[in-house]
Coordinates of all heavy atoms in Angstrom, one line a residue:
M1 N 186.7 129.7 171.9 CA 185.3 129.7 171.8 C 184.8 128.5 170.9 O 185.4 128.4 169.8 CB 184.8 131.0 171.2 CG 183.4 131.2 171.1 SD 183.1 133.0 170.8 CE 181.5 132.9 170.0
A2 N 183.9 127.7 171.3 CA 183.4 126.6 170.5 C 182.6 127.1 169.3 O 181.8 128.0 169.4 CB 182.6 125.7 171.5
Q3 N 182.7 126.4 168.2 CA 181.9 126.6 167.0 C 180.6 125.9 167.2 O 180.4 124.9 167.7 CB 182.6 126.0 165.8 CG 182.8 127.0 164.7 CD 183.5 126.4 163.5 OE1 183.9 125.2 163.6 NE2 183.7 127.1 162.5
E4 N 179.5 126.7 166.7 CA 178.2 126.2 166.7 C 178.0 125.0 165.8 O 178.5 125.1 164.6 CB 177.2 127.2 166.4 CG 175.8 126.8 166.4 CD 174.8 127.9 166.0 OE1 175.2 129.0 166.0 OE2 173.7 127.5 165.7
A5 N 177.4 123.9 166.2 CA 177.2 122.7 165.3 C 176.0 123.0 164.4 O 175.0 123.5 164.9 CB 177.0 121.5 166.1
L6 N 176.2 122.9 163.1 CA 175.1 123.1 162.2 C 174.4 121.8 161.9 O 175.0 120.8 161.8 CB 175.7 123.7 160.9 CG 176.4 125.0 161.1 CD1 177.0 125.5 159.7 CD2 175.4 126.1 161.6
S7 N 173.0 121.9 161.6 CA 172.3 120.8 161.2 C 172.6 120.4 159.7 O 173.1 121.2 159.0 CB 170.8 121.0 161.4 OG 170.3 121.9 160.5
W8 N 172.2 119.2 159.3 CA 172.5 118.7 157.9 C 171.8 119.7 156.9 O 172.2 119.8 155.8 CB 172.1 117.3 157.7 CG 170.6 117.1 157.8 CD1 169.8 116.9 158.9 CD2 169.7 117.2 156.7 NE1 168.5 116.8 158.5 CE2 168.4 117.0 157.2 CE3 169.8 117.4 155.3 CZ2 167.2 117.0 156.4 CZ3 168.7 117.4 154.5 CH2 167.4 117.2 155.1
N9 N 170.7 120.4 157.3 CA 170.0 121.2 156.3 C 170.0 122.7 156.6 O 169.2 123.4 156.2 CB 168.5 120.7 156.2 CG 167.7 120.9 157.5 OD1 168.3 121.2 158.6 ND2 166.4 120.8 157.4
S10 N 171.1 123.0 157.3 CA 171.2 124.5 157.8 C 171.3 125.4 156.6 O 171.0 126.6 156.7 CB 172.3 124.7 158.7 OG 173.6 124.3 158.1
G11 N 171.8 125.0 155.4 CA 171.9 125.9 154.2 C 170.8 125.7 153.2 O 171.0 126.2 152.1
R12 N 169.7 125.1 153.6 CA 168.7 124.7 152.6 C 168.1 126.0 151.8 O 167.7 125.8 150.7 CB 167.5 124.0 153.3 CG 166.7 124.8 154.2 CD 165.7 123.9 155.0 NE 165.0 124.5 156.0 CZ 165.5 124.7 157.3 NH1 166.6 124.1 157.5 NH2 164.8 125.3 158.2
E13 N 168.2 127.2 152.4 CA 167.7 128.3 151.6 C 168.6 128.7 150.4 O 168.2 129.4 149.5 CB 167.7 129.6 152.6 CG 169.0 130.1 153.1 CD 169.6 129.4 154.2 OE1 168.9 128.5 154.8 OE2 170.7 129.7 154.6
R14 N 169.8 128.1 150.4 CA 170.7 128.3 149.2 C 170.5 127.1 148.1 O 171.1 127.3 147.0 CB 172.1 128.4 149.6 CG 172.4 129.7 150.3 CD 173.9 129.8 150.6 NE 174.3 128.8 151.7 CZ 174.4 129.2 152.9 NH1 174.1 130.4 153.3 NH2 174.7 128.4 153.9
W15 N 170.0 126.0 148.5 CA 170.0 124.8 147.7 C 169.3 125.1 146.3 O 168.3 125.9 146.3 CB 169.2 123.7 148.4 CG 169.9 123.1 149.5 CD1 171.2 123.3 149.9 CD2 169.4 122.1 150.5 NE1 171.6 122.6 151.0 CE2 170.4 121.9 151.4 CE3 168.2 121.6 150.6 CZ2 170.3 121.0 152.4 CZ3 168.0 120.7 151.7 CH2 169.0 120.4 152.6
Q16 N 169.8 124.5 145.3 CA 169.2 124.6 144.0 C 169.2 123.2 143.4 O 170.0 122.4 143.7 CB 169.9 125.6 143.0 CG 169.9 127.0 143.5 CD 170.6 127.9 142.5 OE1 170.5 127.6 141.2 NE2 171.4 128.8 143.0
R17 N 168.3 123.0 142.4 CA 168.2 121.8 141.7 C 169.2 121.8 140.6 O 169.4 122.9 140.0 CB 166.8 121.6 141.2 CG 166.5 120.2 140.7 CD 165.0 120.0 140.4 NE 164.6 121.0 139.3 CZ 164.6 120.6 138.0 NH1 165.1 119.5 137.7 NH2 164.2 121.5 137.1
L18 N 169.9 120.8 140.2 CA 170.7 120.7 139.0 C 169.7 120.2 137.9 O 169.3 119.1 137.9 CB 171.9 119.7 139.2 CG 173.0 120.3 139.9 CD1 174.0 119.2 140.2 CD2 173.6 121.4 139.2
V19 N 169.5 121.1 136.9 CA 168.6 120.8 135.8 C 169.1 119.6 134.9 O 168.3 118.9 134.4 CB 168.4 122.1 135.0 CG1 167.5 121.8 133.8 CG2 167.8 123.2 135.8
N20 N 170.4 119.5 134.8 CA 171.0 118.4 134.0 C 171.3 117.2 134.7 O 171.9 116.3 134.2 CB 172.2 118.9 133.2 CG 173.3 119.3 134.1 OD1 173.2 119.8 135.1 ND2 174.5 119.2 133.4
E21 N 170.9 117.0 136.0 CA 171.1 115.8 136.7 C 170.3 114.7 136.1 O 169.2 115.0 135.7 CB 170.7 116.0 138.2 CG 170.9 114.8 139.0 CD 170.4 114.8 140.4 OE1 169.5 115.6 140.6 OE2 171.0 114.2 141.3
V22 N 170.9 113.5 136.0 CA 170.1 112.4 135.5 C 169.9 111.4 136.6 O 170.5 111.4 137.6 CB 170.8 111.7 134.3 CG1 171.0 112.6 133.1 CG2 172.2 111.1 134.7
E23 N 168.9 110.5 136.4 CA 168.6 109.5 137.4 C 169.7 108.6 137.6 O 170.6 108.3 136.7 CB 167.5 108.7 136.8 CG 166.8 107.8 137.8 CD 165.5 107.1 137.3 OE1 164.7 107.9 136.7 OE2 165.4 105.9 137.4
V24 N 169.9 108.2 138.8 CA 171.0 107.3 139.1 C 170.9 105.9 138.4 O 169.8 105.3 138.5 CB 171.1 106.9 140.7 CG1 172.1 105.9 141.0 CG2 171.2 108.2 141.5
P25 N 171.9 105.6 137.6 CA 171.8 104.4 136.8 C 171.9 103.1 137.7 O 172.3 103.2 138.9 CB 173.1 104.4 135.9 CG 173.8 105.6 136.3 CD 173.2 106.3 137.4
P26 N 171.3 102.0 137.2 CA 171.4 100.8 138.0 C 172.9 100.4 138.4 O 173.8 100.6 137.6 CB 170.8 99.7 137.0 CG 170.1 100.4 136.0 CD 170.7 101.8 135.9
A27 N 173.0 99.9 139.6 CA 174.4 99.6 140.1 C 175.2 98.7 139.2 O 176.4 98.9 139.0 CB 174.3 99.1 141.5
R28 N 174.4 97.7 138.5 CA 175.2 96.8 137.6 C 175.8 97.5 136.4 O 176.7 96.9 135.8 CB 174.2 95.6 137.3 CG 173.1 96.0 136.4 CD 172.2 94.9 136.1 NE 171.0 95.3 135.3 CZ 169.9 95.9 135.8 NH1 169.9 96.2 137.1 NH2 169.0 96.3 135.1
S29 N 175.3 98.6 136.1 CA 175.9 99.3 134.9 C 177.0 100.3 135.3 O 177.6 100.9 134.4 CB 174.7 100.0 134.1 OG 174.2 101.1 134.8
Q30 N 177.2 100.5 136.5 CA 178.1 101.6 136.9 C 179.6 101.0 137.0 O 179.8 99.9 137.4 CB 177.8 102.1 138.3 CG 176.5 102.7 138.4 CD 176.1 103.3 139.8 OE1 177.0 103.4 140.7 NE2 174.8 103.5 140.1
T31 N 180.5 101.8 136.7 CA 181.9 101.6 136.8 C 182.6 102.5 137.6 O 182.3 103.8 137.5 CB 182.6 101.5 135.3 OG1 181.9 100.6 134.6 CG2 184.1 101.2 135.5
T32 N 183.6 102.1 138.4 CA 184.3 103.1 139.2 C 185.8 102.9 139.0 O 186.2 101.8 138.5 CB 184.1 102.9 140.7 OG1 184.4 101.6 141.1 CG2 182.7 103.4 141.1
A33 N 186.7 103.9 139.2 CA 188.0 103.7 138.9 C 188.8 103.7 140.3 O 188.1 104.1 141.3 CB 188.6 105.0 138.2
P34 N 189.9 103.1 140.3 CA 190.7 103.0 141.6 C 191.0 104.4 142.1 O 191.1 104.6 143.4 CB 192.0 102.3 141.3 CG 191.9 101.9 139.8 CD 190.7 102.5 139.2
A35 N 191.0 105.4 141.3 CA 191.3 106.8 141.7 C 190.4 107.7 140.9 O 190.0 107.4 139.7 CB 192.7 107.2 141.5
P36 N 189.9 108.8 141.5 CA 189.1 109.8 140.7 C 189.8 110.3 139.5 O 191.0 110.4 139.4 CB 188.9 110.9 141.7 CG 189.1 110.3 143.1 CD 190.2 109.3 142.8
V37 N 189.0 110.7 138.5 CA 189.6 111.2 137.2 C 189.3 112.7 137.1 O 188.1 113.1 137.2 CB 188.9 110.4 136.0 CG1 189.4 111.0 134.7 CG2 189.2 108.9 136.0
A38 N 190.3 113.5 136.9 CA 190.2 114.9 136.8 C 189.3 115.2 135.6 O 189.5 114.7 134.6 CB 191.5 115.6 136.7
C39 N 188.3 116.2 135.7 CA 187.5 116.5 134.7 C 186.9 117.9 134.8 O 187.1 118.5 135.9 CB 186.3 115.5 134.5 SG 185.2 115.5 135.9
V40 N 186.2 118.3 133.7 CA 185.4 119.6 133.8 C 184.0 119.2 133.6 O 183.7 118.5 132.5 CB 185.9 120.6 132.7 CG1 185.0 121.8 132.7 CG2 187.4 121.0 133.0
A41 N 183.1 119.6 134.4 CA 181.7 119.2 134.3 C 180.9 120.4 134.1 O 181.1 121.5 134.7 CB 181.2 118.5 135.5
R42 N 179.9 120.3 133.2 CA 178.9 121.5 133.0 C 177.7 121.1 133.9 O 177.1 120.1 133.8 CB 178.5 121.4 131.5 CG 177.4 122.5 131.2 CD 177.1 122.5 129.7 NE 176.0 123.3 129.4 CZ 174.8 123.0 129.3 NH1 174.4 121.8 129.6 NH2 173.8 123.9 129.1
L43 N 177.5 122.0 134.8 CA 176.4 122.0 135.8 C 175.4 123.0 135.5 O 175.8 124.2 135.3 CB 176.9 122.0 137.2 CG 177.9 121.0 137.7 CD1 178.3 121.3 139.2 CD2 177.4 119.7 137.5
V44 N 174.1 122.6 135.3 CA 173.1 123.6 135.0 C 172.2 123.8 136.2 O 171.4 122.9 136.5 CB 172.3 123.3 133.7 CG1 171.3 124.3 133.4 CG2 173.2 122.9 132.6
W45 N 172.4 124.9 136.9 CA 171.6 125.2 138.1 C 170.3 125.8 137.8 O 170.1 126.5 136.9 CB 172.4 126.2 139.0 CG 173.7 125.7 139.4 CD1 174.9 126.0 138.9 CD2 173.9 124.8 140.5 NE1 175.9 125.3 139.6 CE2 175.4 124.5 140.6 CE3 173.1 124.1 141.5 CZ2 175.9 123.7 141.5 CZ3 173.7 123.3 142.4 CH2 175.1 123.1 142.4
E46 N 169.3 125.4 138.6 CA 167.9 125.8 138.4 C 167.7 127.3 138.4 O 167.0 127.8 137.6 CB 167.1 125.2 139.6 CG 165.6 125.5 139.7 CD 165.0 124.9 140.8 OE1 165.6 124.7 141.9 OE2 163.8 124.5 140.7
V47 N 168.5 128.0 139.2 CA 168.3 129.5 139.3 C 169.5 130.2 138.6 O 169.3 131.1 137.8 CB 168.2 130.0 140.8 CG1 168.2 131.5 140.8 CG2 167.0 129.4 141.4
D48 N 170.7 129.7 138.9 CA 172.0 130.4 138.5 C 172.3 130.0 137.0 O 173.3 130.7 136.5 CB 173.1 130.2 139.4 CG 172.8 130.7 140.8 OD1 172.0 131.6 140.9 OD2 173.4 130.2 141.8
G49 N 171.8 129.0 136.4 CA 172.1 128.6 135.1 C 173.4 127.8 135.0 O 173.9 127.3 135.9
P50 N 173.9 127.7 133.7 CA 175.0 126.8 133.5 C 176.4 127.4 134.0 O 176.6 128.5 134.0 CB 175.1 126.6 132.0 CG 174.4 127.8 131.4 CD 173.4 128.3 132.5
E51 N 177.2 126.5 134.4 CA 178.6 126.8 134.8 C 179.5 125.6 134.5 O 179.1 124.5 134.6 CB 178.7 127.3 136.2 CG 178.8 126.3 137.3 CD 179.0 127.0 138.6 OE1 180.0 127.6 138.8 OE2 178.1 126.7 139.5
L52 N 180.8 125.9 134.2 CA 181.8 124.8 134.1 C 182.6 124.7 135.4 O 183.0 125.8 135.9 CB 182.7 125.1 132.9 CG 182.1 125.1 131.5 CD1 183.1 125.5 130.4 CD2 181.5 123.7 131.2
V53 N 182.7 123.5 135.9 CA 183.4 123.3 137.2 C 184.5 122.2 137.0 O 184.3 121.2 136.5 CB 182.4 122.8 138.2 CG1 183.0 122.5 139.5 CG2 181.2 123.8 138.4
E54 N 185.6 122.6 137.6 CA 186.8 121.6 137.6 C 186.4 120.7 138.8 O 186.3 121.2 139.9 CB 188.1 122.3 137.8 CG 188.5 123.0 136.5 CD 190.0 123.5 136.6 OE1 190.6 123.4 137.6 OE2 190.4 124.2 135.6
T55 N 186.4 119.4 138.5 CA 186.0 118.4 139.5 C 186.7 117.1 139.2 O 187.6 117.1 138.6 CB 184.4 118.4 139.6 OG1 184.1 117.6 140.8 CG2 183.8 117.9 138.4
E56 N 186.0 116.0 139.8 CA 186.5 114.7 139.5 C 185.4 113.8 139.2 O 184.3 113.9 139.8 CB 187.3 114.1 140.8 CG 188.5 115.0 141.1 CD 189.1 114.5 142.5 OE1 188.3 114.2 143.4 OE2 190.3 114.4 142.6
A57 N 185.6 112.9 138.2 CA 184.6 111.8 138.0 C 184.9 110.6 138.9 O 186.1 110.3 139.0 CB 184.7 111.4 136.5
I58 N 183.9 110.1 139.5 CA 184.1 109.0 140.5 C 183.4 107.8 140.1 O 183.5 106.7 140.7 CB 183.9 109.4 141.9 CG1 182.5 110.1 142.1 CG2 185.0 110.4 142.4 CD1 182.1 110.4 143.5
G59 N 182.5 107.9 139.0 CA 181.8 106.7 138.5 C 181.2 107.1 137.2 O 181.1 108.2 136.8
W60 N 180.9 106.1 136.4 CA 180.3 106.3 135.1 C 179.6 105.1 134.5 O 179.8 104.0 135.0 CB 181.3 106.8 134.0 CG 182.6 105.9 133.9 CD1 182.7 104.8 133.1 CD2 183.8 106.0 134.7 NE1 183.9 104.3 133.3 CE2 184.6 105.0 134.2 CE3 184.2 106.9 135.6 CZ2 185.9 104.8 134.8 CZ3 185.6 106.7 136.2 CH2 186.3 105.6 135.7
T61 N 178.8 105.4 133.5 CA 178.2 104.4 132.6 C 178.4 104.9 131.3 O 179.0 106.0 131.0 CB 176.7 104.3 132.9 OG1 176.0 105.5 132.5 CG2 176.4 104.1 134.4
P62 N 177.9 104.2 130.2 CA 178.1 104.7 128.9 C 177.4 106.0 128.6 O 177.7 106.8 127.8 CB 177.5 103.6 128.0 CG 177.7 102.4 128.8 CD 177.5 102.8 130.2
A63 N 176.3 106.3 129.5 CA 175.5 107.5 129.2 C 175.6 108.6 130.3 O 175.2 109.7 130.0 CB 174.0 107.1 129.2
A64 N 176.2 108.3 131.4 CA 176.2 109.3 132.5 C 177.5 109.1 133.4 O 178.2 108.1 133.4 CB 175.1 109.1 133.4
V65 N 177.9 110.2 134.0 CA 179.1 110.3 134.8 C 178.7 110.9 136.2 O 178.0 111.9 136.3 CB 180.2 111.2 134.2 CG1 181.4 111.3 135.0 CG2 180.5 110.8 132.7
L66 N 179.3 110.2 137.2 CA 179.1 110.7 138.6 C 180.3 111.7 138.9 O 181.4 111.2 138.9 CB 179.1 109.6 139.6 CG 178.9 109.9 141.1 CD1 177.7 110.7 141.4 CD2 179.0 108.6 141.9
V67 N 179.9 112.9 139.1 CA 181.0 113.9 139.4 C 180.8 114.4 140.8 O 179.7 114.4 141.3 CB 181.0 115.1 138.4 CG1 181.3 114.6 137.0 CG2 179.7 115.8 138.4
R68 N 181.9 114.8 141.4 CA 181.9 115.4 142.8 C 181.4 116.8 142.6 O 181.8 117.5 141.7 CB 183.2 115.4 143.4 CG 183.7 114.0 143.8 CD 185.0 114.0 144.6 NE 185.2 112.7 145.1 CZ 186.4 112.2 145.3 NH1 187.5 113.0 145.2 NH2 186.6 111.0 145.9
V69 N 180.5 117.2 143.6 CA 179.9 118.5 143.5 C 180.1 119.1 144.9 O 179.4 118.7 145.8 CB 178.4 118.6 143.1 CG1 177.9 120.0 143.2 CG2 178.2 118.0 141.7
Y70 N 181.0 119.9 145.1 CA 181.3 120.7 146.4 C 180.8 122.1 146.3 O 181.6 122.9 145.8 CB 182.7 120.6 146.8 CG 183.2 119.2 147.0 CD1 184.3 118.7 146.3 CD2 182.7 118.3 148.0 CE1 184.8 117.4 146.5 CE2 183.1 117.1 148.2 CZ 184.1 116.6 147.5 OH 184.6 115.3 147.7
D71 N 179.5 122.3 146.5 CA 178.9 123.6 146.3 C 177.9 123.8 147.3 O 177.1 122.9 147.6 CB 178.4 123.7 144.9 CG 178.0 125.1 144.4 OD1 177.0 125.7 145.1 OD2 178.6 125.6 143.6
R72 N 177.7 125.0 147.9 CA 176.7 125.2 149.0 C 175.3 125.2 148.4 O 174.3 125.0 149.2 CB 177.0 126.6 149.6 CG 178.3 126.6 150.4 CD 178.6 128.0 150.8 NE 177.6 128.7 151.5 CZ 177.8 129.8 152.2 NH1 179.0 130.3 152.3 NH2 176.9 130.3 152.9
R73 N 175.2 125.2 147.1 CA 173.8 125.1 146.5 C 173.4 123.6 146.4 O 172.2 123.4 146.1 CB 173.8 125.7 145.1 CG 174.1 127.2 145.1 CD 174.4 127.7 143.7 NE 175.6 127.3 143.2 CZ 176.2 127.7 142.1 NH1 175.5 128.5 141.3 NH2 177.4 127.3 141.7
W74 N 174.2 122.7 146.6 CA 173.9 121.3 146.4 C 174.1 120.5 147.7 O 175.2 120.7 148.4 CB 174.9 120.7 145.4 CG 174.5 119.4 144.8 CD1 175.3 118.2 145.0 CD2 173.3 119.0 144.1 NE1 174.7 117.2 144.4 CE2 173.5 117.6 143.9 CE3 172.2 119.7 143.7 CZ2 172.5 116.9 143.1 CZ3 171.2 119.0 143.0 CH2 171.4 117.6 142.8
R75 N 173.1 119.8 148.1 CA 173.2 119.2 149.4 C 173.9 117.8 149.5 O 174.1 117.2 150.5 CB 171.8 119.0 150.0 CG 170.9 118.0 149.3 CD 169.5 118.0 149.8 NE 168.7 117.0 149.1 CZ 168.2 117.1 148.0 NH1 168.3 118.2 147.2 NH2 167.5 116.1 147.4
L76 N 174.3 117.3 148.3 CA 175.0 116.0 148.2 C 176.4 116.3 147.8 O 176.8 117.3 147.4 CB 174.2 115.1 147.2 CG 172.8 114.9 147.5 CD1 172.1 114.1 146.3 CD2 172.6 114.1 148.8
G77 N 177.2 115.2 147.9 CA 178.6 115.3 147.4 C 178.9 115.0 146.0 O 180.0 115.1 145.6
G78 N 177.8 114.6 145.3 CA 178.0 114.4 143.8 C 176.7 114.3 143.1 O 175.7 114.4 143.8
A79 N 176.8 114.3 141.8 CA 175.6 114.2 140.9 C 176.0 113.4 139.7 O 177.1 113.5 139.1 CB 175.1 115.6 140.6
W80 N 175.0 112.7 139.2 CA 175.1 112.0 137.9 C 174.6 113.0 136.8 O 173.6 113.6 136.9 CB 174.2 110.8 137.8 CG 174.7 109.7 138.6 CD1 174.4 109.3 139.9 CD2 175.6 108.7 138.2 NE1 175.1 108.2 140.3 CE2 175.9 107.8 139.2 CE3 176.3 108.4 137.0 CZ2 176.7 106.7 139.1 CZ3 177.2 107.4 136.9 CH2 177.4 106.5 137.9
V81 N 175.5 113.3 135.8 CA 175.1 114.1 134.7 C 175.4 113.4 133.4 O 176.2 112.4 133.4 CB 175.9 115.5 134.8 CG1 175.6 116.3 136.0 CG2 177.5 115.2 134.7
P82 N 174.8 113.9 132.3 CA 175.1 113.2 131.0 C 176.6 113.2 130.7 O 177.2 114.2 130.9 CB 174.3 114.0 130.0 CG 173.3 114.8 130.8 CD 173.9 115.0 132.2
V83 N 177.0 112.1 130.0 CA 178.4 112.0 129.6 C 178.8 113.2 128.7 O 179.9 113.6 128.7 CB 178.7 110.6 129.0 CG1 178.1 110.6 127.5 CG2 180.1 110.3 129.0
S84 N 177.8 113.7 127.9 CA 178.1 114.9 127.0 C 178.5 116.2 127.8 O 178.9 117.1 127.2 CB 176.9 115.1 126.1 OG 175.8 115.4 126.8
D85 N 178.2 116.2 129.1 CA 178.4 117.4 129.9 C 179.8 117.3 130.7 O 180.0 118.1 131.6 CB 177.3 117.7 130.9 CG 176.0 118.2 130.3 OD1 176.1 118.7 129.1 OD2 174.9 118.1 130.9
V86 N 180.6 116.3 130.3 CA 181.8 116.0 131.1 C 183.0 115.8 130.1 O 182.8 115.1 129.1 CB 181.7 114.9 132.0 CG1 183.0 114.6 132.8 CG2 180.6 115.0 133.0
R87 N 184.1 116.4 130.4 CA 185.3 116.1 129.6 C 186.5 116.0 130.5 O 186.5 116.6 131.6 CB 185.6 117.2 128.5 CG 185.9 118.5 129.1 CD 186.3 119.5 127.9 NE 186.4 120.8 128.3 CZ 187.4 121.3 129.0 NH1 188.4 120.7 129.3 NH2 187.5 122.6 129.4
R88 N 187.4 115.1 130.2 CA 188.6 114.9 130.9 C 189.4 116.2 131.0 O 189.5 117.0 130.1 CB 189.6 113.9 130.3 CG 189.1 112.5 130.7 CD 190.2 111.5 130.1 NE 189.7 110.2 130.5 CZ 190.3 109.4 131.4 NH1 191.4 109.8 132.1 NH2 189.9 108.2 131.6
R89 N 190.1 116.4 132.1 CA 190.9 117.6 132.4 C 192.4 117.1 132.2 O 192.8 116.1 132.8 CB 190.6 118.2 133.7 CG 191.3 119.5 134.0 CD 190.7 120.2 135.2 NE 190.2 119.4 136.3 CZ 190.7 119.3 137.5 NH1 191.8 119.9 137.8 NH2 190.1 118.5 138.4
N90 N 193.2 117.9 131.5 CA 194.6 117.5 131.3 C 195.3 118.0 132.6 O 195.3 119.2 132.9 CB 195.1 118.2 130.1 CG 196.6 117.7 129.8 OD1 197.1 117.0 130.6 ND2 197.1 118.2 128.7
T91 N 195.9 117.1 133.3 CA 196.5 117.5 134.6 C 198.0 117.5 134.5 O 198.7 117.7 135.4 CB 196.1 116.4 135.7 OG1 196.5 115.2 135.4 CG2 194.6 116.6 136.0
G92 N 198.5 117.1 133.3 CA 200.0 117.0 133.2 C 200.5 118.1 132.4 O 201.2 119.1 132.3

């Protein structure tokens, strides 16, 4: 049996804003690594409140970090959050 194709906004009733999301920094100030960096990010949801999420940092500036966000409440694959809301995760 074939699976029904969902539209890009099929889960919109679950979407929430990230209260601690910051504006995307200018491209010239962004740095990326050859590989993602394991981290723990504090995400503050509009309805559900704060939570700590094990994720990866994929870009940063002195003031903000781009972290991957794989959550049904978020329609994008990542979000920029303040550097104070992210810490490296020890993977070894």
